[in-house]
Amino acid sequence: NNYLKFLIMKINSIFNIKSEIEFEKICFEIYDFQIRNNNVYKKYATSILQNKYPSSIFEIPFLPIRFFKEKKILCDNINSEIIFKSSGTEGSKSIHYVADVEIYKNSFIKNFESFYGDISNYCILALLPSYMQQGSSSLIFMIDELINKSKHPKSGYFLNDHNKLSQTINQLESTQQKIILFGVTYALLDFAKKYSQQLKRTIIIETGGMKGRRKEMIKSELHKILSKGFGVSKIHSEYGMTELLSQAYSKGDGIFVTQDWMKILLRDPYDPLKIINTQNKTGAINIIDLANVNSCAFIATDDLGKIYDDQKFEIIGRIDQADMRGCNLLYDDN
């Protein structure tokens, strides 16, 4: 049918974008598809645009991310293969209905290897207790796949066993094995405090957030503490969320880089329909994630940030919900 033809074409093209022109072309093709086939997005977008058609990607309506907590964001006549849920530390959980899990795998594997090279070169370790306990985590799904593809016998999770994790890292480092340790922020802080180390072959990737376990910290201060605790010059970061099928990575200093199928735009926090088309300005983060072909590729997040050159951006905080307005355009029972 038309949907299958469209999807096959998009999967083949999304992950092979070579230029900004090509990105915008596919972007509008997905917009046209979703405005026709995603009932929630159609109602929201048409309420903003009326009968106008966006003349550039800056005029495309971005769906407020909280709709993933209140609506089923999925194109019509499509069944979900898997459901991802957010950690839900504040209120209700976001739910992402994923129709084709292979798109997600394609996205995070291509993304990871573009930053770090062949997965099989690494032993993948994970310190993600809150994500493991919640279930239905898109991050855990990704780490599971990376662990499997690493094919290293010591790749795996360490729920709260810091002693075993420390011994494993020391043993691997002694054999010159390259290591990547993914960790939720509060767990990395606890581990670094208990087991101060001088790591030579280990990349620390923090996935962000205290998950209600500690007071949130300024990113630069957090990375300073972790760098000292692990004896590394830089702390890497992963920027992803339940509502996305793509991630951005930072190799240090809190500057994230996107892939060619993902773009960050800024909007005015006090006027959600106004895009700030200027570099080095602060604004609310809008994300185009073309891998979200079956749900919604245009999402207005609750994060504040800055955009720099060459698909680079920085997260500097969260929006005060009391300051947000203009997002109550779609609340009914449909």
Side-chain angles (χ1 to χ4, degrees):
N1 58 33
N2 289 337
Y3 164 71
L4 287 175
K5 290 179 182 177
F6 175 84
L7 188 58
I8 291 169
M9 178 183 68
K10 288 307 105 195
I11 293 171
N12 290 335
S13 59
I14 286 168
F15 301 118
N16 291 291
I17 291 172
K18 298 294 191 295
S19 68
E20 182 68 20
I21 293 174
E22 197 173 345
F23 174 88
E24 294 193 7
K25 177 178 179 292
I26 296 172
C27 190
F28 274 104
E29 288 172 351
I30 291 178
Y31 168 78
D32 290 338
F33 176 75
Q34 292 182 343
I35 204 76
R36 291 194 307 269
N37 295 285
N38 183 324
N39 194 44
V40 174
Y41 182 62
K42 178 181 180 180
K43 286 186 178 183
Y44 180 77
T46 53
S47 69
I48 292 171
L49 293 175
Q50 301 300 321
N51 294 320
K52 294 189 299 181
Y53 187 84
S55 61
S56 74
I57 61 173
F58 302 108
E59 293 183 2
I60 290 176
F62 285 77
L63 189 72
I65 198 165
R66 73 169 186 254
F67 277 52
F68 281 81
K69 294 182 178 181
E70 299 156 2
K71 306 285 182 180
K72 185 174 183 178
I73 311 300
L74 186 66
C75 289
D76 299 338
N77 303 315
I78 302 175
N79 295 319
S80 58
E81 284 186 351
I82 193 168
I83 295 173
F84 293 133
K85 296 180 181 180
S86 67
S87 55
T89 53
E90 299 178 8
S92 58
K93 294 185 177 185
S94 287
I95 300 177
H96 193 175
Y97 297 87
V98 178
D100 188 343
V101 75
E102 289 302 316
I103 296 177
Y104 182 42
K105 289 182 182 179
N106 211 342
S107 178
F108 68 67
I109 290 169
K110 284 179 177 289
N111 197 3
F112 178 92
E113 292 194 330
S114 74
F115 281 96
Y116 298 107
D118 192 330
I119 298 170
S120 64
N121 290 334
Y122 295 93
C123 179
I124 305 292
L125 308 178
L127 188 60
L128 302 165
S130 52
Y131 290 98
M132 291 183 69
Q133 291 159 350
Q134 80 182 52
S136 304
S137 164
S138 58
L139 177 62
I140 294 298
F141 185 96
M142 181 181 82
I143 300 300
D144 281 346
E145 191 72 13
L146 295 180
I147 286 172
N148 289 336
K149 285 192 171 295
S150 77
K151 295 184 172 61
H152 196 285
K154 291 195 177 294
S155 287
Y157 294 93
F158 296 81
L159 186 58
N160 291 303
D161 195 342
H162 293 172
N163 183 53
K164 184 178 179 182
L165 175 57
S166 179
Q167 290 176 355
T168 300
I169 291 175
N170 289 334
Q171 183 181 5
L172 291 167
E173 286 240 342
S174 69
T175 63
Q176 303 297 303
Q177 171 64 49
K178 293 168 70 174
I179 308 161
I180 287 182
L181 171 61
F182 283 92
V184 65
T185 305
Y186 74 87
L188 287 175
L189 283 169
D190 290 344
F191 179 49
K193 184 177 180 180
K194 285 183 184 178
Y195 295 92
S196 182
Q197 302 178 64
Q198 294 294 313
L199 302 179
K200 304 295 184 185
R201 306 280 292 176
T202 302
I203 296 171
I204 308 294
I205 302 181
E206 59 100 0
T207 62
M210 295 296 187
K211 304 301 176 187
R213 308 295 179 96
R214 289 190 181 192
K215 184 178 179 180
E216 294 291 340
M217 297 175 62
I218 297 170
K219 188 72 75 173
S220 58
E221 181 64 22
L222 166 68
H223 283 198
K224 184 178 179 181
I225 294 171
L226 291 177
S227 292
K228 183 178 179 181
F230 290 114
V232 296
S233 60
K234 300 285 185 181
I235 298 295
H236 295 212
S237 301
E238 181 258 358
Y239 179 76
M241 56 188 72
T242 301
E243 300 85 356
L244 301 177
L245 294 184
S246 301
Q247 309 80 34
Y249 285 98
S250 165
K251 289 191 171 183
D253 304 318
I255 305 300
F256 291 94
V257 181
T258 64
Q259 289 299 315
D260 292 334
W261 60 88
M262 182 181 181
K263 182 177 284 293
I264 306 296
L265 304 177
L266 293 184
R267 70 182 187 276
D268 187 329
Y270 303 101
D271 183 358
L273 305 182
K274 181 181 178 183
I275 296 295
I276 303 171
N277 192 14
T278 308
Q279 292 177 351
N280 297 316
K281 293 286 187 179
T282 299
I285 295 286
N286 282 359
I287 298 176
I288 300 175
D289 181 6
L290 299 183
N292 272 15
V293 64
N294 292 309
S295 51
C296 183
F298 313 98
I299 297 175
T301 78
D302 293 337
D303 292 326
L304 287 170
K306 290 184 177 182
I307 294 178
Y308 304 105
D309 294 335
D310 302 320
Q311 299 174 299
K312 295 178 182 177
F313 68 100
E314 179 182 8
I315 299 296
I316 60 174
R318 299 278 287 173
I319 297 171
D320 181 351
Q321 293 298 312
D323 289 338
M324 293 185 70
R325 60 185 178 86
C327 292
N328 296 312
L329 295 174
L330 177 62
Y331 282 91
D332 57 30
D333 295 326
N334 295 325

